[in-house]
Amino acid sequence: MTEITGSTPDSTAASAPGSAPGSMPEWEKRFRAPRVSLPDWAEDAPERALFVSNATGTYELYAWDRATGEQRQATDRPNGTTDGVLSLDGEWIWWFSDTDGDEFGVWMRQRFTAGADGAGDESAVPGLGPSYPAGLALGRDGTAVVGRSTDEDGSTLHVVRPGEKPVEIYRHRESAGVGDLSYDGSLLAIEHTEHGDAMHSAVRVLRLDGSVVAQLDDTEGGTRELGLEVLGFAPVEGDSRLLIGHQRRGRWEPVVWNPLTGEETDLAIELPGDVNAEWYPDGSGLLVAHSFEARSELWRYDFAKSALIQVETPAGTVSGATARPDGSVEYLWSSAARPPEVRSTAGGVVLDPPGPAAPASVRVEDAWVESPGGRVHALVQRPEGEGPFPTVFEIHGGPTWHDSDAFAAGPAAWVDQGFAVVRVNYRGSTGYGREWTDALKHRIGLIELEDIAAVREWAVASGLADPAKLVLSGGSWGGYLTLLGLGTQPDAWAVGLAAVPVADYVTAYHDEMEALKAMDRTLLGGTPEEVPERFAASSPLTYVDAVRAPVYISAGVNDPRCPIRQVENYVDRLAARGAVHEVYRYDAGHGSLVVEERIKQVRLELEFAVKHLREGAR
């Protein structure tokens, strides 16, 4: 066994295999290349914007005055900051302050012009203690509605008016969160799972005194697996319409609901795949984001014409988009081959990060494979040369997420080293309809691995993958599936790489944040005490003694989602039987926002895989 510690990454470490001594490999340049997020702009002051960038080597919040072009770094913390929002008038930057990535903290704020007048950070909500965040909505009169989640209190919502103490208006043991405030600040939309199904929320509209105005519950008290999502109130004075996402036709799509009258306007947007939407600033239409088969595109829904008009974007993935007051659309776009850019339909790049762009990678190919659960979509990237190749199965987290034709520095690093990369949108993934996403029940982990196994068989049979050099890898839920796959499919994998994984499901349940406990109860049908056989069947710890492949595990010591104690339990079992493994513990939470730290982790993974594949070939 090798124990690796390192809260201080070594930027002078040797280059990865395949690079010239002393040179910086292309994969490392991709991680170091400056990036920016899609700028979020203040609704009543659209020239003031907030974005995230890694320009200093750590992901932090930046204020941008679009009228003058001035930018300034708004936050500066050792482990980074990405959760922030602008007040509607653009006067304040709110940001969430946790401790070393543990996601447990309080909201802080600073003046947008803090750099000019010297004002510093202050508590945004005095009187509210630390918690996990559960949504935030800001009103035009300075009122804020703060969602909180704690192990002791469950979910609570608090109204905070300027100069007054916070007032609790909602409390429940099950998960709930703030959705949005109406334009005039009189109505609050929330999502809740009081019915006990954490995967399918209901929507309730309240007055700010906590009284109920209206409710939509497509679950019918938890008897149907149909969820709702708050997408936002109309951004126009005197308009109480609320945009909601629903699953009534087997996929996510929007509906407009007036909670004061009960009227619903079914938009019936006839596009395959999942559909999300947000209002245009004048309320005349919706900016529609359409996700289908790992690609995405934009449309405008015009209320006056009841028609869809396509917003032209290149082929690939739009990972965020916003409509501006002048009618233009700004969007963050990338493809597997090309790094991300913030573009505008008015033309050109909106926000260009400083420094050299990330090196390009190779395009992604589609593979469709039949599995026990249906037709599985996989994305494939090939290195130069002829196969079969050593192949990394890079498994996404979530599980309610999906891999797409988007730029990703991690997979590109493997391709640079001569590996093929296969990413599988297994059952549980989003973007393929409600039935596919909701397929994970009671046999979690085992279901996804059936789909991964089917794609693995295809990869070998097609000549893409060398069956003796298959690497199973992933982070978070992907790390969980990696450890579970190494134990339940021990002959299939030559190496395993698990980042921030669930390793011991029972201990993970007892140590994780309350919202994830609720999700696990939904997925497994109860607590570990109520359904012990299901937790055992889905826990990597159950199968740890069957693991044959060398295992690399990385874990954040402050991780509230996949806590460190359950990882240690798994590692102890590996060590007890002398299994080949390495463990890297770092001082952060569920991943790192520090570029050097991420580079160090990728370097360790590359070196571990190359070393053990080479040794296995002897």
Side-chain angles (χ1 to χ4, degrees):
M1 167 192 179
T2 301
E3 288 280 348
I4 308 172
T5 59
S7 57
T8 308
D10 178 10
S11 62
T12 64
S15 299
S19 61
S23 67
M24 182 182 292
E26 295 289 280
W27 72 262
E28 191 171 329
K29 292 178 184 178
R30 293 191 192 95
F31 281 96
R32 293 190 188 282
R35 295 191 183 189
V36 292
S37 69
L38 180 72
D40 179 28
W41 51 276
E43 197 168 302
D44 295 338
E47 294 310 307
R48 292 189 168 184
L50 189 68
F51 64 90
V52 176
S53 177
N54 66 339
T56 64
T58 302
Y59 285 89
E60 296 286 1
L61 295 169
Y62 287 75
W64 178 26
D65 188 329
R66 300 177 65 140
T68 66
E70 181 184 357
Q71 298 176 9
R72 70 171 182 87
Q73 185 176 336
T75 56
D76 184 7
R77 302 193 302 152
N79 285 293
T81 314
T82 57
D83 292 339
V85 64
L86 283 173
S87 60
L88 299 179
D89 60 7
E91 289 295 319
W92 294 95
I93 297 170
W94 287 57
W95 61 276
F96 191 76
S97 175
D98 65 353
T99 302
D100 296 331
D102 67 359
E103 302 181 45
F104 194 81
V106 297
W107 286 100
M108 303 291 290
R109 69 175 187 170
Q110 63 178 255
R111 291 280 185 181
F112 184 86
T113 55
D117 62 16
D121 292 311
E122 64 183 41
S123 174
V125 285
L128 286 182
S131 70
Y132 298 111
L136 173 70
L138 303 180
R140 284 175 168 76
D141 63 354
T143 297
V145 182
V146 180
R148 302 172 70 249
S149 173
T150 65
D151 293 342
E152 297 76 20
D153 297 331
S155 302
T156 57
L157 307 182
H158 304 258
V159 173
V160 186
R161 300 185 187 277
E164 299 181 14
K165 293 181 178 180
V167 176
E168 182 181 303
I169 63 168
Y170 178 91
R171 176 183 290 257
H172 202 279
R173 287 302 311 171
E174 298 292 345
S175 299
V178 175
D180 193 26
L181 274 171
S182 61
Y183 186 94
D184 64 5
S186 66
L187 302 176
L188 170 68
I190 72 170
E191 298 175 11
H192 72 83
T193 59
E194 295 172 4
H195 46 274
D197 181 352
M199 293 182 68
H200 303 94
S201 295
V203 170
R204 183 176 296 157
V205 175
L206 308 172
R207 301 284 184 188
L208 294 198
D209 61 2
S211 60
V212 177
V213 175
Q215 175 162 296
L216 285 180
D217 181 9
D218 283 5
T219 75
E220 298 180 2
T223 61
R224 302 181 69 198
E225 294 182 338
L226 292 175
L228 297 171
E229 179 184 10
V230 174
L231 300 179
F233 278 102
V236 180
E237 188 172 4
D239 192 340
S240 59
R241 293 178 299 165
L242 178 63
L243 187 64
I244 288 177
H246 69 88
Q247 297 178 300
R248 296 165 186 169
R249 299 200 303 165
R251 60 197 175 93
W252 283 107
E253 58 185 314
V255 64
V256 177
W257 175 50
N258 189 329
L260 297 183
T261 66
E263 180 184 3
E264 289 189 28
T265 303
D266 186 1
L267 306 178
I269 296 174
E270 300 298 336
L271 295 171
D274 289 336
V275 176
N276 201 346
E278 67 171 47
W279 296 92
Y280 270 77
D282 62 1
S284 65
L286 301 176
L287 177 60
V288 174
H290 172 227
S291 175
F292 182 56
E293 295 184 351
R295 275 86 180 175
S296 54
E297 58 187 11
L298 298 176
W299 299 75
R300 173 186 166 91
Y301 182 86
D302 188 293
F303 284 117
K305 300 177 181 177
S306 297
L308 276 175
I309 304 165
Q310 187 156 19
V311 177
E312 294 296 332
T313 59
T317 294
V318 175
S319 54
T322 183
R324 294 281 291 167
D326 64 1
S328 66
V329 174
E330 295 177 353
Y331 59 95
L332 182 63
W333 172 90
S334 72
S335 70
R338 295 183 60 183
E341 294 179 334
V342 179
R343 298 183 173 191
S344 172
T345 56
V349 173
V350 175
L351 184 60
D352 203 6
S361 186
V362 301
R363 68 185 184 89
V364 72
E365 303 170 16
D366 298 278
W368 292 92
V369 179
E370 291 298 328
S371 84
R375 197 162 173 248
V376 183
H377 189 196
L379 303 176
V380 178
Q381 288 175 277
R382 300 172 184 262
E384 294 182 355
E386 296 294 326
F389 304 103
T391 300
V392 176
F393 278 69
E394 183 73 32
I395 310 304
H396 73 72
T400 50
W401 189 250
H402 69 270
D403 281 313
S404 59
D405 182 5
F407 194 77
W414 290 104
V415 175
D416 287 357
Q417 303 304 319
F419 286 77
V421 177
V422 178
R423 291 178 285 169
V424 182
N425 284 332
Y426 51 75
R427 275 170 286 173
S429 302
T430 54
Y432 299 88
R434 178 176 63 83
E435 185 177 348
W436 192 257
T437 302
D438 287 354
L440 300 190
K441 285 292 176 67
H442 303 168
R443 292 182 60 248
I444 61 169
L446 305 173
I447 291 172
E448 302 95 294
L449 287 169
E450 289 177 351
D451 296 339
I452 293 167
V455 176
R456 184 191 70 234
E457 292 174 7
W458 164 84
V460 171
S462 68
L464 171 73
D466 182 340
K469 296 181 179 180
L470 299 180
V471 178
L472 186 58
S473 175
S476 190
W477 197 265
Y480 158 63
L481 293 176
T482 294
L483 295 184
L484 190 64
L486 295 177
T488 59
Q489 304 168 354
D491 297 327
W493 307 105
V495 174
L497 309 170
V500 291
V502 175
D504 168 4
Y505 219 128
V506 174
T507 301
Y509 175 86
H510 289 301
D511 289 359
E512 68 194 3
M513 60 173 66
E514 185 61 35
L516 293 183
K517 286 186 173 74
M519 180 62 73
D520 284 339
R521 290 194 296 272
T522 297
L523 287 171
L524 287 157
T527 68
E529 291 71 32
E530 293 167 339
V531 287
E533 71 288 348
R534 291 178 183 169
F535 274 81
S538 292
S539 178
L541 188 66
T542 301
Y543 312 97
V544 64
D545 291 338
V547 173
R548 299 179 186 176
V551 187
Y552 171 87
I553 298 174
S554 60
V557 296
N558 305 313
D559 191 344
R561 298 174 180 267
C562 299
I564 192 68
R565 184 167 72 104
Q566 53 93 29
V567 172
E568 302 289 11
N569 291 346
Y570 186 90
V571 170
D572 288 347
R573 287 281 296 275
L574 288 175
R577 65 183 186 88
V580 178
H581 67 289
E582 289 184 5
V583 184
Y584 174 64
R585 302 170 182 84
Y586 58 95
D587 189 18
H590 198 61
S592 177
L593 299 176
V594 179
V595 173
E596 290 286 359
E597 174 61 47
R598 184 65 187 124
I599 289 171
K600 180 178 182 179
Q601 292 180 28
V602 172
R603 183 182 293 116
L604 289 170
E605 291 174 351
L606 289 169
E607 291 175 349
F608 184 89
V610 170
K611 171 187 174 182
H612 288 287
L613 289 179
R614 185 184 298 122
E615 291 177 353
R618 291 174 183 168

